[in-house]
């Protein structure tokens, strides 16, 4: 059985080893330019450009045909999307999955609504890969990812919520707090897949203290951690150092966020996907 994993580009994954994989790009749109969130995108240049944009900005999710193209050639497809509460990507993937099964005899396609983004999506993709490599059937992989997803989490730290507020993802009142006198917002992806602010932290040290405390409170006791950042490698590395001091055998990686996450989370952000102890 030929498997393939597909994700939209909010997973921050450009390439993936060991199993067939494809990233379907979202787009960041201004009144003057469109940025396609693929391997050719210069994320740093995009972030700099967007700092001076005065007009409307927004995003566009992949359409059904783009997902169908990504599914092509596989007998068993698993697609992981950004939370359905923030984007139409999941709905497009679900429609594509239904059409793919109808037009490809014997094929199976299953969409995982991550109810999250970034590093938590990467954890889901990695788990799918591990189960496929273990030789699981389509049904076994599906059951396993449903169980595993209950034990993955996302935390984020943002210096600015301007783009989130501008696009209706958080309230303007909450957005005004971030960045004032060094205030950073620490939040989480809720069980419903919405962005939930938790703390207002002054300075990087307090933010990092809070992130570690929140991870411990959500059951982290070592295991997989996937950290992404938008032009804030220093804080990402410090968070990794703190976690390894407590749990030396943890599997922790750091990567720069790609276009979609960099647009919404903005410069200075840190996003953390992690497993709890029951994963």
């Amino acid at each position: 059985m030929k498997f393939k994993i597909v994700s939209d580009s909010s997973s921050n994954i450009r390439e993936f080893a060991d199993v067939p994989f494809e990233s379907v790009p979202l787009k960041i749109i201004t009144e003057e330019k469109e940025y396609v969130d693929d391997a050719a995108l210069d994320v740093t240049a995009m972030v700099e450009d967007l700092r001076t944009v005065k007009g409307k900005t927004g995003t566009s999710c992949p359409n059904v045909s783009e997902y169908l193209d990504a599914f092509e050639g596989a007998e068993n497809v698993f697609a992981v999307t950004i939370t359905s509460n923030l984007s139409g990507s999941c709905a497009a993937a679900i429609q594509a999955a239904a059409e793919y099964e109808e037009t490809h005899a014997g094929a199976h396609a299953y969409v995982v609504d991550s109810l999250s983004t970034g590093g938590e999506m990467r954890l889901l993709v990695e788990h799918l890969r591990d189960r496929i490599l273990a030789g699981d059937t389509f049904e076994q992989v599906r059951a396993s990812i449903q169980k595993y997803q209950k034990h993955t989490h996302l935390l984020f730290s943002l210096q600015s919520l301007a783009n989130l507020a501008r696009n209706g993802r958080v309230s303007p009142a909450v957005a005004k707090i971030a960045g004032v006198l060094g205030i950073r917002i620490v939040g989480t992806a809720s069980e419903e897949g919405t962005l939930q602010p938790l703390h207002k932290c002054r300075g990087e040290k307090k933010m990092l203290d809070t992130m570690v405390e929140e991870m411990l409170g959500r059951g982290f006791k070592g295991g997989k951690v996937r950290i992404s950042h938008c032009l804030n490698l220093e804080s990402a590395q410090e968070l990794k150092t703190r976690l390894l001091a407590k749990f030396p055998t943890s599997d922790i990686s750091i990567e720069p966020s790609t276009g979609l996450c960099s647009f919404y989370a903005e410069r200075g952000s840190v996003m953390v996907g992690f497993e709890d102890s029951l994963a």
Side-chain angles (χ1 to χ4, degrees):
M1 295 184 294
K2 186 175 181 181
F3 283 86
K4 188 174 188 180
I5 302 173
V6 174
S7 80
D8 65 43
S9 58
S10 66
S11 67
N12 295 322
I13 304 173
R14 297 297 196 203
E15 298 179 349
F16 202 68
D18 302 323
V19 297
F21 171 83
E22 187 165 340
S23 173
V24 185
L26 291 101
K27 300 176 181 67
I28 297 93
I29 302 168
T30 72
E31 292 180 349
E32 299 179 353
K33 190 172 183 179
E34 178 179 276
Y35 302 88
V36 180
D37 190 12
D38 60 15
L41 178 64
D42 185 334
V43 175
T44 301
M46 182 197 78
V47 171
E48 289 299 313
D49 289 348
L50 292 174
R51 293 180 70 184
T52 60
V53 168
K54 301 297 183 183
K56 294 180 180 179
T57 60
T59 60
S60 174
C61 68
N63 60 39
V64 174
S65 64
E66 289 172 313
Y67 272 114
L68 285 171
D69 289 344
F71 295 171
E72 196 59 48
E75 298 172 14
N76 297 293
V77 179
F78 286 91
V80 183
T81 74
I82 188 173
T83 172
S84 59
N85 275 295
L86 294 182
S87 171
S89 180
C90 183
I94 290 172
Q95 185 176 339
E99 291 187 21
Y100 194 76
E101 290 184 339
E102 289 177 2
T103 56
H104 294 70
H108 299 93
Y110 179 71
V111 178
V112 181
D113 179 356
S114 72
L115 299 175
S116 188
T117 189
E120 187 170 4
M121 287 178 67
R122 176 176 277 276
L123 289 174
L124 298 175
V125 170
E126 290 180 0
H127 185 80
L128 289 168
R129 175 200 60 195
D130 293 346
R131 298 321 312 159
I132 291 168
L133 292 176
D136 287 1
T137 65
F138 177 85
E139 291 77 13
Q140 288 172 327
V141 176
R142 180 174 57 190
S144 183
I145 195 66
Q146 290 171 344
K147 180 179 179 181
Y148 179 71
Q149 188 177 4
K150 296 176 182 178
H151 302 290
T152 60
H153 310 270
L154 180 79
L155 290 173
F156 57 82
S157 166
L158 308 180
Q159 286 183 345
S160 171
L161 283 73
N163 286 335
L164 285 168
R166 189 178 294 122
N167 289 274
R169 270 58 178 185
V170 299
S171 73
V174 172
K176 286 181 180 179
I177 297 172
V180 177
L181 299 176
I183 296 295
R184 299 185 61 108
I185 300 296
V186 171
T188 188
S190 71
E191 291 184 1
E192 297 76 26
T194 59
L195 299 181
Q196 180 182 350
L198 299 172
H199 304 280
K200 300 184 288 290
C201 303
R202 181 161 295 170
E204 293 290 302
K205 182 180 183 300
K206 179 61 176 176
M207 176 274 288
L208 291 166
D209 291 342
T210 301
M211 293 279 274
V212 173
E213 290 170 4
E214 284 291 337
M215 290 178 69
L216 297 177
R218 284 166 165 72
F220 178 71
K221 294 182 180 179
K224 287 186 177 182
V225 182
R226 301 294 178 255
I227 304 171
S228 61
H229 67 93
C230 180
L231 304 175
N232 193 4
L233 179 58
E234 183 178 355
S235 288
Q237 290 176 328
E238 176 61 22
L239 179 59
K240 178 178 179 178
T241 297
R242 293 184 182 210
L243 293 172
L244 288 175
K246 290 180 176 293
F247 304 102
T249 62
S250 297
D251 175 1
I252 305 177
S253 65
I254 298 174
E255 63 190 356
S257 54
T258 55
L260 194 283
C261 286
S262 294
F263 170 69
Y264 278 126
E266 301 189 58
R267 175 185 288 271
S269 61
V270 177
M271 304 177 72
V272 186
F274 63 98
E275 301 172 333
D276 63 37
S277 60
L278 299 178

